[in-house]
Amino acid sequence: MNVILDCDPGHDDAIAILLLGSKPYFNVLGVTTVSGNQTIEKTTLNALNVIDFLGLDFKVYEGSSDPIKRERVNCGEIHGESGLDGFTFPKHNKKKEAKDAVSFIVDAINSSKEKVVMITTGPMTNLGKAFLRDPNIKNNIEKIVLMGGSIGAGNVTPAAEFNINCDAEAADICFKSGVPIYMVGLDVTRQVLVLPEVIERMRKIGNKTSDMFVKLMETFNYNQKKVFNLDGGPLHDPVTVASLINPELVHFEYVNTEIDTASSSSYGRTNCDLPGYLKKKKNSYVATKINVPLFWDIIEEAIASYN
Ligand code: RIB
Ligand code: CA
């Protein structure tokens, strides 16, 4: 399976990278970075650090700092000043590629011999810009599997989830592209909380990767407690990759979803019409259920597969 991961590491993005590198059947064409959890410089450095630490040979392409239309927002209160606070990565020589993320996405999709699975775990700015630059890439994308949106309430405004709220115009372009959309939203990711028993379970694996996981998650949880009063942070992003590792993990409903780019208070809302009130053309598979024990089994197996 040819995949591109577009991300804004970010504690949960880092675990999505870990999952992606744990299965040889993922042919990772590249990892692209976007501003979101932190600035583009920091998310790019974090991606390089995680990939090097895990001993993966993924190439990193730096992406967009600014959204398509709205002003840039970041999320230091959850992911810290570095965007990946809690673990000190060893020094290394891994560098980002010269090509920018949008150019890479267009070129890699157009030249792929098989359709590409696009995974996005941050704001969808890079993919939105890629569609604007070359709409024909839609013909060689198998599906877009995104962490973002919510059938229910948001997590950065009452209406909107962070990734979509960062760049609703980009998400709107992607949802209207005609490419099959698999939306992994807060409705399922809020069920996979890194509770103390999860941390202890992963600590018992006892390798350097589990040590990284534990240290990162302890900081992630500290900030999630401060901001949301949660006893464990939701491990949002890895659910995308995990749903590709085991299709039984997540149940999706095929519905019409529209992105609100017009209103002020609901900007970035994903209006998922599960009852079919509006009788509009269906365009998205929206996650409604998740097998939580299976998710943690997938995470544990992946961490144990590293040294
Ligand atoms: O709303 C959760 C999303 O926002 C996750 O992707 C997290 O990493 C942040 O980017
Ligand atoms: Ca993210």
Side-chain angles (χ1 to χ4, degrees):
M1 184 191 301
N2 281 6
V3 302
I4 295 173
L5 172 66
D6 188 74
C7 56
D8 63 335
H11 291 71
D12 50 337
D13 303 76
I15 309 308
I17 292 171
L18 185 156
L19 278 193
L20 205 55
S22 71
K23 299 293 181 194
Y25 50 73
F26 289 126
N27 177 30
V28 180
L29 302 180
V31 172
T32 52
T33 58
V34 63
S35 164
N37 285 324
Q38 258 301 349
T39 62
I40 187 62
E41 295 79 11
K42 293 178 180 179
T43 59
T44 302
L45 175 60
N46 292 337
L48 290 165
N49 282 341
V50 170
I51 290 165
D52 177 76
F53 180 80
L54 293 173
L56 301 172
D57 62 354
F58 301 165
K59 289 185 170 23
V60 176
Y61 301 83
E62 187 170 84
S64 303
S65 176
D66 296 315
I68 285 177
K69 185 175 175 190
R70 63 158 295 169
E71 77 289 354
R72 175 167 60 86
V73 289
N74 291 130
C75 184
E77 57 273 15
I78 294 291
H79 301 276
E81 186 50 36
S82 72
L84 202 51
D85 284 10
F87 186 76
T88 303
F89 289 90
K91 295 236 176 296
H92 57 79
N93 297 318
K94 189 172 179 67
K95 299 279 183 275
K96 68 184 180 183
E97 302 301 306
K99 186 179 281 190
D100 70 279
V102 175
S103 303
F104 165 74
I105 289 170
V106 170
D107 294 348
I109 290 172
N110 282 333
S111 58
S112 176
K113 295 278 179 289
E114 63 180 65
K115 288 200 170 191
V116 176
V117 174
M118 265 307 303
I119 306 168
T120 66
T121 62
M124 302 180 83
T125 307
N126 290 331
L127 187 52
K129 288 180 177 177
F131 276 121
L132 290 175
R133 187 180 300 178
D134 181 0
N136 290 323
I137 59 171
K138 69 175 185 294
N139 300 317
N140 210 27
I141 302 174
E142 180 187 325
K143 56 187 168 183
I144 298 167
V145 184
L146 69 116
M147 193 280 137
S150 179
I151 299 165
N155 65 350
V156 67
T157 71
E161 177 277 330
F162 178 78
N163 286 339
I164 310 298
N165 183 261
C166 277
D167 195 340
E169 283 74 16
D172 189 42
I173 291 166
C174 295
F175 274 69
K176 288 177 178 169
S177 67
V179 171
I181 296 279
Y182 285 77
M183 184 185 109
V184 175
L186 298 176
D187 318 277
V188 296
T189 65
R190 278 172 164 154
Q191 297 179 48
V192 288
L193 303 177
V194 190
L195 296 168
E197 53 263 36
V198 169
I199 290 200
E200 291 320 308
R201 175 176 172 181
M202 304 310 165
R203 189 195 308 274
K204 288 195 180 85
I205 297 169
N207 62 22
K208 70 169 195 166
T209 303
S210 61
D211 179 54
M212 177 196 76
F213 178 89
V214 166
K215 289 193 170 88
L216 284 176
M217 293 300 118
E218 283 173 339
T219 299
F220 183 59
N221 282 351
Y222 176 81
N223 293 332
Q224 290 278 354
K225 182 72 177 172
K226 238 179 7 182
V227 176
F228 294 111
N229 195 28
L230 290 173
D231 292 332
L235 205 58
H236 303 285
D237 294 334
V239 179
T240 55
V241 182
S243 75
L244 293 169
I245 291 173
N246 187 328
E248 298 299 310
L249 178 72
V250 174
H251 175 75
F252 292 93
E253 305 235 0
Y254 191 45
V255 301
N256 172 267
T257 296
E258 288 194 326
I259 312 295
D260 188 336
T261 58
S263 85
S264 54
S265 57
S266 297
Y267 174 86
R269 171 138 191 79
T270 50
N271 284 311
C272 306
D273 189 4
L274 271 72
Y277 294 128
L278 303 178
K279 301 202 181 348
K280 290 191 172 182
K281 185 173 182 305
K282 295 181 179 181
N283 64 340
S284 53
Y285 297 88
V286 174
T288 55
K289 294 189 192 106
I290 185 168
N291 180 331
V292 174
L294 176 56
F295 176 74
W296 294 120
D297 291 346
I298 292 168
I299 296 289
E300 182 180 43
E301 183 185 335
I303 293 172
S305 73
Y306 288 89
N307 54 36

